[in-house]
Amino acid sequence: MHHTITVNASLFAQALKDANTYTSKNVYDDATNHIVLNVIDKGARLAVVACDSHGYYERRIPLIKARGEAKPSLPGKEQRLCIAAQDALILHKRIPSRSIGCVTLQLDDKPAKEERLLVTMTLPDGASTSFFRRTDFEIPDFSRILKMAEKGKKNAPDLSNVFIPVHEMARVGKVLPTKGDSAARIYTAKGAGKGHMALLEYCEPDDDMDVRIIFMLSELAQAA
């Protein structure tokens, strides 16, 4: 089966760059060193997700479908495509800064070479670049992390007597806008064991920003 997704070029490039901030830099053959693209909302949006086991990043951007074209899709029932961090960085660099127009990703379910799927990205100017995605790589379902953190929406945030990891706040500052009066909503929820999850949501339709960030809070400074 042939799969195609089309998105705004500048939004996609920024999402790849920001998601790369949340990939592991110490491993090269692990889910934490990959970025997951996930078609959601019945083909209306694309979630760009990364999680290095310390922090979780997700940005949702609109999918573009011209009249008469097939519905946007990615492989599998879960509609996901996993991209190695190094490939995502190359894709980001290939998209000119402040690009006007769209990029299109295309691939087939049939392996093109040694258990690998060939993915082609077409740029707004018609140029293209390709990379391979392994078929034997298990794509993680990071949605479970988000669902667990979203349980905190039912209660008031509890930020008393907890330590916030400074390195996670530094990453937040890299991927969220800091100009003007921009602000993110925070929720807290119980995580595994005695852990606590903090969920930041920044949703500004006028800025084309729809971002979720998750990190852990701790009752002990040395664990933060």
Side-chain angles (χ1 to χ4, degrees):
M1 180 178 176
H2 187 72
H3 300 279
T4 301
I5 58 171
T6 301
V7 291
N8 176 278
S10 61
L11 295 183
F12 185 59
Q14 189 63 48
L16 290 178
K17 179 182 177 182
D18 292 343
N20 197 58
T21 304
Y22 284 81
T23 58
S24 174
K25 306 303 183 288
N26 300 319
V27 295
Y28 299 96
D29 195 23
D30 185 88
T32 61
N33 185 246
H34 286 68
I35 292 172
V36 178
L37 306 183
N38 190 186
V39 173
I40 60 173
D41 298 339
K42 298 181 179 180
R45 293 194 293 176
L46 178 72
V48 182
V49 181
C51 180
D52 63 358
S53 76
H54 296 289
Y56 169 99
Y57 170 91
E58 176 181 319
R59 179 167 180 175
R60 300 177 181 182
I61 54 181
L63 282 164
I64 299 170
K65 177 184 175 297
R67 181 175 297 180
E69 290 186 351
K71 184 178 179 180
S73 68
L74 288 174
K77 181 180 179 181
E78 296 80 10
Q79 298 277 297
R80 296 198 299 258
L81 173 65
C82 202
I83 304 176
Q86 57 268 34
D87 289 330
L89 189 58
I90 293 173
L91 294 181
H92 166 257
K93 290 181 178 179
R94 288 296 307 273
I95 303 174
S97 59
R98 300 180 181 178
S99 286
I100 298 176
C102 305
V103 296
T104 298
L105 270 65
Q106 296 177 307
L107 71 155
D108 286 311
D109 285 338
K110 184 179 179 181
K113 177 183 178 182
E114 298 177 355
E115 301 294 323
R116 294 174 182 266
L117 299 178
L118 178 65
V119 184
T120 300
M121 181 180 76
T122 304
L123 302 170
D125 63 1
S128 64
T129 186
S130 300
F131 64 96
F132 285 100
R133 201 273 287 178
R134 286 169 41 189
T135 58
D136 60 344
F137 187 86
E138 184 176 351
I139 302 178
D141 183 9
F142 289 132
S143 65
R144 292 178 296 177
I145 299 175
L146 182 59
K147 289 178 182 177
M148 187 180 296
E150 285 182 331
K151 291 181 180 179
K153 291 185 175 184
K154 299 178 182 179
N155 306 303
D158 183 6
L159 296 171
S160 60
N161 300 318
V162 293
F163 290 90
I164 301 175
V166 175
H167 61 278
E168 290 302 326
M169 297 309 296
R171 290 206 288 187
V172 169
K174 290 181 180 180
V175 301
L176 291 184
T178 57
K179 297 180 180 180
D181 57 354
S182 59
R185 182 74 180 268
I186 187 169
Y187 305 92
T188 60
K190 279 217 163 191
K194 295 183 179 180
H196 300 272
M197 306 175 77
L199 166 64
L200 293 180
E201 283 192 348
Y202 183 94
C203 300
E204 292 291 343
D206 293 340
D207 296 335
D208 293 311
M209 289 287 287
D210 187 351
V211 177
R212 289 152 185 80
I213 296 170
I214 301 171
F215 54 87
M216 299 302 295
L217 306 172
S218 176
E219 296 178 3
L220 300 174
Q222 59 268 32

